[in-house]
Amino acid sequence: MIAVKDLKKVYHQANREIRALDGVTLEVPDDSVHGVIGQSGAGKSTLVRCLALLDRPTSGTVEINGVDLAHVRSSDLRRARRRLGVVFQHANLFDSRTIADNVAYPLELAGVERRERAAKVTELLGLVGLGDAAAAHPAQLSGGQRQRVGIARALATDPDVLLCDEPTSALDPRTTDEILDLIADIKARLGLAVLVITHEMHVVKRICDSVSLLEAGLVVESGPLAGVVGRLGGRLSEMLLQLPPAAPLPATLGATLEVLDTTQPGDTAALTAAERHFDADLPVLAGTVEHLDGTTFSRMRVLVPPSLDPAVVVSHLKGLGAESTISAPSIDEVA
Amino acid sequence: MPGFLDDLLSNPALTTALWPALVETLLMVGIAGVATVVIGLPLGVVLFVTQPGGMAANRAVSVVLSGIIVNITRSVPYAILMVSLMPFTRFIVGTSIGPLAASVSLTIACVPFFARLVESGLRDVQPGKVDAAHAMGSTRAQTVWKVMLPEAMPSLVASVTTTLVTLIGYSAMAGLIGGGGLGRLAYNYGYQRFQPEVMLVVLVILVLFVQVVQLVGEAVVRRVDHR
């Protein structure tokens, strides 16, 4: 498990103070994947550098299984680092070494004997599905294969925590899914705590159990995936269940509602139940559906005909277990 | 034409003086080449790691080595450097003439040049690889030795090639001022005794020499380049 507490990083640049991280707190239990999502400039890179101990944080702690890495002496730091595997965006393999020697590098540093090293490398390359590429050089592999090698290398010292920095941002969509599935598979097999830093919602949807939104050096929203997605109006919910922009409608057509319905398989959709109850059509203008952890999340923009009071519809939907809000009035009313 | 060729082939400048001169040149380039790599490689590494923002940033060392010693040595033309180094050369090898003496000034002229090439070769190693090395727990020495130098190897080999070619040029110049070798042969026979044909032969040999060094260097680069 990795626990980050009140992590701060302040840079000084020409008499200006830049608070790249302003007190980040995170916790990733074993056998789970936590995503940190943020736009560029949010502090993602700084967070990765501090967690990978490439930069010393200004204050705060980074604990792996109770050992604070941010404050150990440099000599102990190198040993402590073996508890943490890092996967980089561009894999950062060493071109001068073969695939096998790339994976063996952390083992060389740890002083593992040659024979033992070879056995471990074979095992790791098998784990990532590249058993036959041992003698190749990185340049001979595709981007996805290189990232697999990067993952194998990160796992070489049997770490407890895997830190993935934009692991799929340089890959095409299909390879992205292959790599994400590999990370999820490895997490399940080895019981690792995995922290994925990314700007792609897709990554969060596909493999994360929980997620944090990083903005201006702060975690502004955090929680289990189902929890944050089910919160209508929440930033992460908006990002994960994106709707196309609303087209302006004449007020005479009625009001529009934003509805977020959470259903289990077999449940009747709240909207369908409401249509029956009011004996009226509630046309869906736009909608996004995601299945996460066996739960279906449907976010819709719904038109409420003038014959119905939108407030009554909202409270009825609430009774059916769906959150909803009345959207901003259409342009006709503003005018 | 056969007469010209006969004259040329029976010219003592070529029959007796050419071979020793060639050996002297090879000796100068060989000794200075090895010494330049042995001294210049670590110096290049130090220049790289001590620069501001470097792995072992050290302002004082960086200013002295990079700003003063390397830059000043590099701004002195070789012919002048060679003459001014004569007392130092005499102190080191006991004489200021001959190929061994010339190797001293050749080395001193080429070390800063080679060190700069090493420095820029190391700078071209992607920072991500250095981060990866550190993140896996490498010491700074391990990062340089096991990651940066191997990763920069194609560029380092190319730098050795460039340095050797420069050395061949300098060695001909060293010949004029007591260094011996092909430079002196061309000067003594070709210039002072008005035998342009000797000059031409020396020129051809030097061109071939440079070609061979360049070709071998490029072949080695292809061997070590896995990018």
Side-chain angles (χ1 to χ4, degrees):
Chain A
M1 131 154 164
I2 179 166
V4 179
K5 282 199 200 90
D6 201 24
L7 199 67
K8 290 186 184 175
K9 179 71 183 180
V10 181
Y11 291 108
H12 294 276
Q13 224 172 51
N15 301 327
R16 231 155 46 95
E17 221 181 48
I18 298 165
R19 297 179 161 272
L21 294 179
D22 207 4
V24 170
T25 300
L26 293 170
E27 203 173 286
V28 190
D30 289 342
D31 198 14
S32 71
V33 181
H34 185 85
V36 173
I37 192 154
Q39 303 306 310
S40 32
K44 288 194 307 275
S45 309
T46 311
L47 181 62
V48 169
R49 294 192 68 82
C50 285
L51 294 182
L53 281 312
L54 292 169
D55 278 346
R56 288 264 174 165
T58 309
S59 67
T61 60
V62 179
E63 280 183 14
I64 291 184
N65 294 341
V67 180
D68 180 10
L69 297 189
H71 293 94
V72 296
R73 289 199 321 265
S74 352
S75 51
D76 296 333
L77 180 62
R78 281 190 288 279
R79 184 177 299 277
R81 272 191 159 129
R82 292 177 201 153
R83 308 267 47 83
L84 175 83
V86 185
V87 176
F88 297 92
Q89 179 176 356
H90 297 287
N92 292 345
L93 302 180
F94 304 146
D95 294 317
S96 55
R97 290 173 165 245
T98 62
I99 297 309
D101 287 344
N102 264 284
V103 178
Y105 183 80
L107 299 168
E108 281 175 42
L109 296 181
V112 176
E113 283 213 42
R114 182 179 290 271
R115 191 174 301 173
E116 211 178 312
R117 233 158 47 201
K120 183 78 188 175
V121 167
T122 309
E123 178 199 325
L124 287 163
L125 287 178
L127 185 70
V128 299
L130 280 176
D132 48 1
H137 276 90
Q140 294 163 274
L141 303 188
S142 68
Q145 288 172 319
R146 278 202 291 275
Q147 195 55 288
R148 284 171 185 271
V149 178
I151 292 170
R153 182 176 69 176
L155 295 172
T157 51
D158 297 319
D160 304 308
V161 176
L162 196 61
L163 173 64
C164 305
D165 175 18
E166 301 272 9
T168 58
S169 301
L171 303 175
D172 62 61
R174 195 168 139 198
T175 317
T176 292
D177 285 349
E178 285 172 14
I179 293 296
L180 292 177
D181 293 348
L182 176 66
I183 292 174
D185 175 52
I186 284 168
K187 176 227 38 170
R189 268 205 252 183
L190 306 177
L192 297 175
V194 181
L195 188 57
V196 181
I197 317 282
T198 184
H199 71 274
E200 296 172 304
M201 264 305 158
H202 176 73
V203 172
V204 174
K205 284 181 200 168
R206 194 156 179 116
I207 58 167
C208 290
D209 301 301
S210 56
V211 60
S212 293
L213 174 63
L214 189 69
E215 226 175 57
L218 278 167
V219 172
V220 293
E221 232 182 283
S222 186
L225 203 49
V228 296
V229 174
R231 203 179 301 145
L232 179 66
R235 299 282 306 280
L236 280 164
S237 179
E238 298 255 329
M239 290 162 85
L240 284 156
L241 300 169
Q242 246 177 8
L243 288 185
L249 282 177
T252 50
L253 281 181
T256 50
L257 292 188
E258 297 266 329
V259 183
L260 180 61
D261 193 11
T262 312
T263 52
Q264 305 298 326
D267 288 357
T268 307
L271 199 61
T272 312
E275 283 183 317
R276 282 183 199 146
H277 173 82
F278 292 113
D279 192 21
D281 280 347
L282 297 170
V284 175
L285 303 173
T288 304
V289 180
E290 286 288 344
H291 305 278
L292 300 165
D293 275 343
T295 305
T296 304
F297 296 90
S298 322
R299 181 170 169 226
M300 291 158 289
R301 189 175 298 125
V302 172
L303 185 67
V304 180
S307 56
L308 292 175
D309 177 2
V312 173
V313 178
V314 168
S315 73
H316 186 75
L317 283 170
K318 191 166 180 64
L320 293 166
E323 293 295 322
S324 59
T325 54
I326 301 166
S327 305
S330 58
I331 43 168
D332 285 11
E333 282 172 82
V334 175
Chain B
M1 205 58 193
F4 167 75
L5 209 59
D6 284 343
D7 280 354
L8 191 60
L9 290 177
S10 59
N11 188 330
L14 301 184
T15 52
T16 54
L18 180 64
W19 182 247
L22 183 61
V23 170
E24 280 176 354
T25 293
L26 286 174
L27 213 59
M28 275 190 280
V29 173
I31 295 172
V34 170
T36 298
V37 172
V38 167
I39 303 168
L41 187 65
L43 179 61
V45 170
V46 172
L47 287 179
F48 177 76
V49 298
T50 58
Q51 70 184 349
M55 225 185 278
N58 186 320
R59 217 184 133 70
V61 174
S62 180
V63 165
V64 170
L65 283 185
S66 173
I68 300 178
I69 298 185
V70 168
N71 282 351
I72 288 182
T73 317
R74 287 204 60 199
S75 38
V76 179
Y78 176 63
I80 296 171
L81 184 77
M82 186 179 169
V83 175
S84 59
L85 278 175
M86 276 180 174
F88 176 71
T89 304
R90 211 172 287 125
F91 172 73
I92 296 272
V93 294
T95 170
S96 60
I97 53 167
L100 199 61
S103 299
V104 174
S105 63
L106 284 174
T107 304
I108 289 175
C110 279
V111 160
F113 175 68
F114 181 64
R116 278 276 184 247
L117 293 179
V118 170
E119 185 192 8
S120 89
L122 292 174
R123 193 173 296 138
D124 287 343
V125 174
Q126 290 153 26
K129 291 176 181 174
V130 182
D131 281 348
H134 284 307
M136 286 186 277
S138 316
T139 60
R140 285 182 294 200
Q142 285 168 328
T143 302
V144 169
W145 192 247
K146 291 168 80 86
V147 176
M148 299 199 74
L149 288 175
E151 289 298 301
M153 196 49 82
S155 132
L156 294 179
V157 172
S159 303
V160 170
T161 309
T162 308
T163 305
L164 283 179
V165 170
T166 306
L167 263 174
I168 294 168
Y170 282 1
S171 80
M173 221 187 299
L176 303 186
I177 329 179
L182 292 170
R184 188 181 58 185
L185 185 74
Y187 181 71
N188 287 355
Y189 288 84
Y191 182 68
Q192 291 182 319
R193 296 194 188 179
F194 305 107
Q195 295 181 353
E197 65 276 16
V198 176
M199 187 80 90
L200 196 68
V201 169
V202 169
L203 213 61
V204 169
I205 291 175
L206 286 176
V207 168
L208 286 177
F209 194 5
V210 169
Q211 294 289 353
V212 168
V213 167
Q214 194 66 41
L215 284 175
V216 170
E218 280 164 16
V220 177
V221 168
R222 276 196 297 278
R223 246 338 247 284
V224 298
D225 194 352
H226 298 291
R227 287 175 295 188

